[in-house]
Amino acid sequence: MNRIYKPLLAIALLFTFSCAEDYLDTVPTDAVSSESVFTTTNNAMIALNGIHRSMLLRYDSQGQAGEGAVMIMRDVMAEDLVMTTTGNGWYVSICRWLNHISENSGDVRFVWRFYYKIIGNANLIIENIDAAEGSQTEKDEIKGQALAYRAWAHFNLVQMFAERYDFNGSNSQMGVPIVLAPITEGAARNTVEEVYTQIHTDLDDAIALLDDINGRNAKSHLDVNVVSGIKARVLATQGRFAEAATFANTAREGYSLMSEDDLYAGFNNVENEEWIWGSHQVDDQQTYFASYFAYLSLNFSSTNIRNNPKAINSTLYGMISDSDYRKGLWDPNASDPALRDPFIDEMTLSSFAKIDYMNRKFLAQGNASSVGDVPYMRASEMYLLEAEALARSGSDAAAADLLFEFMQARDPEYTRSSNTGSALIEEIMIQRRIELWGEGFRFYDLKRLNLPLDRTGANHVESVINGKFTEEAGAWEWQWQIPRDELNANELMEQNPTN
């Protein structure tokens, strides 16, 4: 455990379900003592900054670096991000659909505890901020962000550890425990419907508190745009598409789509005009091999990247128009020195493997530095989510207009789609897959829409995925197992079925 004052530890350990004490060390206690952490809004903001920072921290292993690691896990479980070799082993068992269905897996333990750690620390802020000394505006800003974090973390947990939200069902299936205060005993699993109801309560309360806040300290902080974007995601996952379109529109207000030049800048700068929410990683706090860019970038000289450059699904790549700026973010001829993009040789060392369809979308600070800002929400996601939601709610013309507006920033030769109905929805979803490649969305999209996994006919490597080319929609394997540590510590906890 890092430095932490025992009185704060005593409070933090009330937070839940066998989540160990090292997962609660996010308050920089060398800056403020635990006794005074919630006495003023200035000190409470330091506690909130601890949650912001926890999004980037390394946890039990170098493959478990906060939200960026979970984003990679979600994408390697789907079909669009291709692991080109087994490399040095990181994320291989996840992409084979093995780790997430093992209750003894360190990855399962990490994901469960990571999100509940955020919930626990948010609860400490929510419970104490009203009594802090400071202006009401400061209290509203801090409490609103904490409520949004609590909702966001519950949302991720219920998507991963529970059955999908059934658009037409009662959703009485087991969800995850709702935790709204520091507790001393483990809790039973709430239903999926109950979890989503609480998520909306927190998001609505957060929006009410943040709506009149002008500005924020950094894009790592949550404002009304970010919270509206989270709510749009939740509504889309519930099949409430007309409402989702409204909130996606609100989320992207004030944000522009990036230029062609910015598309090739490495997706590593939170100050990009399109980024709504992301983590900024400062140079002197890099996590080296425990970093999003240590596994996903083109150029950081880690064993994993040198041996296992990440590639796009070749079938999906074939759907990208030749006039689309994004087509150059992957190289279908990387294995051929005469044909590959010279930029790949410029940015990598001779020891790097060059494999067809490898990505150059993500760039680390350099071969010796894995520093890079991590994107959690961009305006492009909200454009495409709004277009999808409009199309799924029957507003084809409005959806086609919005898709055209988006595509004008990506493909100068794109013409307004004449598709309607399911064909228009499919066109939007293809653009979503291309645009958000590597940003952690595809597993969630497959699950929320009850679609099967299908890696056949593309460039997935048999020896890497160990024959895991397909998984039928709705199979038990779509649910992550509850970690064994949790089951041992919480007699009320029930495991997910395995058949």
Side-chain angles (χ1 to χ4, degrees):
M1 184 188 306
N2 297 330
R3 292 169 294 176
I4 190 162
Y5 285 84
K6 295 303 179 184
L8 179 59
L9 178 59
I11 296 173
L13 283 178
L14 294 178
F15 153 63
T16 183
F17 326 146
S18 75
C19 295
E21 58 269 25
D22 54 338
Y23 272 55
L24 291 156
D25 185 7
T26 58
V27 175
T29 52
D30 54 344
V32 56
S33 71
S34 61
E35 291 86 353
S36 62
V37 68
F38 295 116
T39 58
T40 70
T41 52
N42 285 340
N43 289 347
M45 181 59 81
I46 293 174
L48 180 63
N49 284 335
I51 301 181
H52 299 320
R53 184 170 179 268
S54 74
M55 298 281 280
L56 281 177
L57 290 178
R58 169 179 172 155
Y59 292 84
D60 287 342
S61 82
Q62 68 184 47
Q64 298 172 354
E67 178 63 9
V70 189
M71 289 160 59
I72 294 172
M73 291 179 189
R74 293 195 298 256
D75 262 3
V76 301
M77 287 185 67
E79 79 276 45
D80 291 338
L81 195 156
V82 174
M83 302 270 280
T84 57
T85 73
T86 56
N88 59 349
W90 294 107
Y91 303 115
V92 172
S93 290
I94 284 285
C95 87
R96 291 174 174 175
W97 283 54
L98 296 175
N99 270 15
H100 79 291
I101 56 172
S102 169
E103 64 183 28
N104 295 308
S105 164
D107 288 331
V108 166
R109 179 175 180 266
F110 155 65
V111 172
W112 179 268
R113 296 171 74 207
F114 169 64
Y115 289 119
Y116 272 119
K117 181 269 301 177
I118 289 176
I119 292 169
N121 283 321
N123 283 337
L124 290 172
I125 294 172
I126 294 164
E127 186 171 89
N128 290 280
I129 189 60
D130 289 343
E133 179 183 340
S135 72
Q136 189 61 47
T137 298
E138 291 171 325
K139 292 179 185 181
D140 289 350
E141 181 181 7
I142 294 167
K143 189 174 186 177
Q145 291 189 67
L147 285 163
Y149 266 124
R150 187 168 76 181
W152 174 81
H154 277 112
F155 180 48
N156 282 291
L157 285 162
V158 77
Q159 288 181 96
M160 298 180 83
F161 290 94
E163 293 181 22
R164 63 179 289 273
Y165 191 97
D166 185 347
F167 298 171
N168 302 307
S170 66
N171 292 291
S172 59
Q173 65 270 36
M174 289 188 298
V176 295
I178 298 171
V179 182
L180 304 181
I183 62 175
T184 57
E185 297 179 357
R189 297 173 70 169
N190 291 87
T191 68
V192 166
E193 187 65 47
E194 288 170 338
V195 176
Y196 276 85
T197 297
Q198 183 59 50
I199 289 168
H200 281 299
T201 296
D202 281 348
L203 292 175
D204 290 344
D205 289 347
I207 288 171
L209 290 168
L210 296 172
D211 194 41
D212 293 328
I213 304 297
N214 295 318
R216 54 179 165 165
N217 295 333
K219 285 188 180 179
S220 60
H221 293 207
L222 283 63
D223 63 3
V224 71
N225 293 78
V226 174
V227 183
S228 296
I230 296 170
K231 191 168 175 75
R233 293 172 179 174
V234 177
L235 290 164
T237 304
Q238 294 180 282
R240 296 164 59 179
F241 293 113
E243 297 169 87
T246 297
F247 279 94
N249 181 274
T250 299
R252 63 182 178 84
E253 285 181 2
Y255 291 88
S256 303
L257 293 169
M258 71 177 80
S259 67
E260 178 186 4
D261 288 343
D262 285 338
L263 274 171
Y264 286 89
F267 282 79
N268 56 18
N269 185 358
V270 75
E271 296 307 319
N272 184 299
E273 62 183 345
E274 188 175 304
W275 286 31
I276 301 172
W277 179 29
S279 282
H280 174 57
Q281 187 174 18
V282 298
D283 292 358
D284 62 357
Q285 293 180 5
Q286 72 160 303
T287 49
Y288 298 98
F289 303 106
S291 162
Y292 182 69
F293 289 87
Y295 296 93
L296 208 57
S297 69
L298 165 69
N299 57 321
F300 178 60
S301 186
S302 64
T303 301
N304 189 275
I305 288 176
R306 288 195 304 271
N307 297 336
N308 179 23
K310 309 310 179 293
I312 191 172
N313 180 305
S314 56
T315 301
L316 178 61
Y317 182 83
M319 299 177 187
I320 307 175
S321 167
D322 288 343
S323 56
D324 192 319
Y325 299 141
R326 296 169 299 178
K327 194 143 192 173
L329 295 176
W330 302 272
D331 188 347
N333 302 303
S335 65
D336 187 338
L339 296 177
R340 71 169 166 256
D341 185 345
F343 184 81
I344 292 178
D345 288 323
E346 177 186 340
M347 296 299 293
T348 63
L349 306 174
S350 60
S351 56
F352 282 52
K354 313 296 193 298
I355 299 177
D356 290 348
Y357 299 100
M358 63 186 285
N359 99 94
R360 56 153 296 182
K361 175 178 177 178
F362 297 102
L363 299 176
Q365 189 177 66
N367 298 145
S369 172
S370 66
V371 166
D373 300 343
V374 183
Y376 304 138
M377 184 183 295
R378 298 192 288 118
S380 57
E381 178 207 346
M382 291 298 130
Y383 266 93
L384 291 165
L385 182 54
E386 182 181 351
E388 177 197 348
L390 288 168
R392 292 189 189 276
S393 56
S395 299
D396 285 354
D401 286 344
L402 191 60
L403 178 62
F404 179 63
E405 182 181 345
F406 168 77
M407 288 301 296
Q408 283 183 307
R410 297 294 187 257
D411 183 350
E413 297 183 18
Y414 179 84
T415 57
R416 186 185 182 280
S417 178
S418 59
N419 287 327
T420 59
S422 59
L424 177 59
I425 292 170
E426 179 62 17
E427 181 179 359
I428 294 167
M429 294 306 294
I430 289 170
Q431 295 307 323
R432 180 176 168 89
R433 291 168 64 186
I434 296 165
E435 181 68 24
L436 299 178
W437 181 93
E439 297 178 50
F441 291 96
R442 187 56 179 166
F443 175 80
Y444 280 167
D445 284 350
L446 291 172
K447 186 169 180 176
R448 71 179 170 93
L449 298 170
N450 203 29
L451 298 173
L453 173 73
D454 184 1
R455 295 166 167 171
T456 59
N459 53 328
H460 284 278
V461 182
E462 163 74 32
S463 62
V464 176
I465 62 174
N466 198 32
K468 188 64 177 183
F469 284 97
T470 61
E471 185 58 68
E472 63 180 326
W476 69 267
E477 289 92 344
W478 287 92
Q479 284 66 252
W480 288 50
Q481 290 286 285
I482 308 298
R484 171 45 56 184
D485 285 355
E486 177 62 31
L487 295 166
N488 290 340
N490 179 3
E491 63 181 11
L492 299 177
M493 180 58 60
E494 296 179 64
Q495 182 59 278
N496 285 321
T498 55
N499 55 50

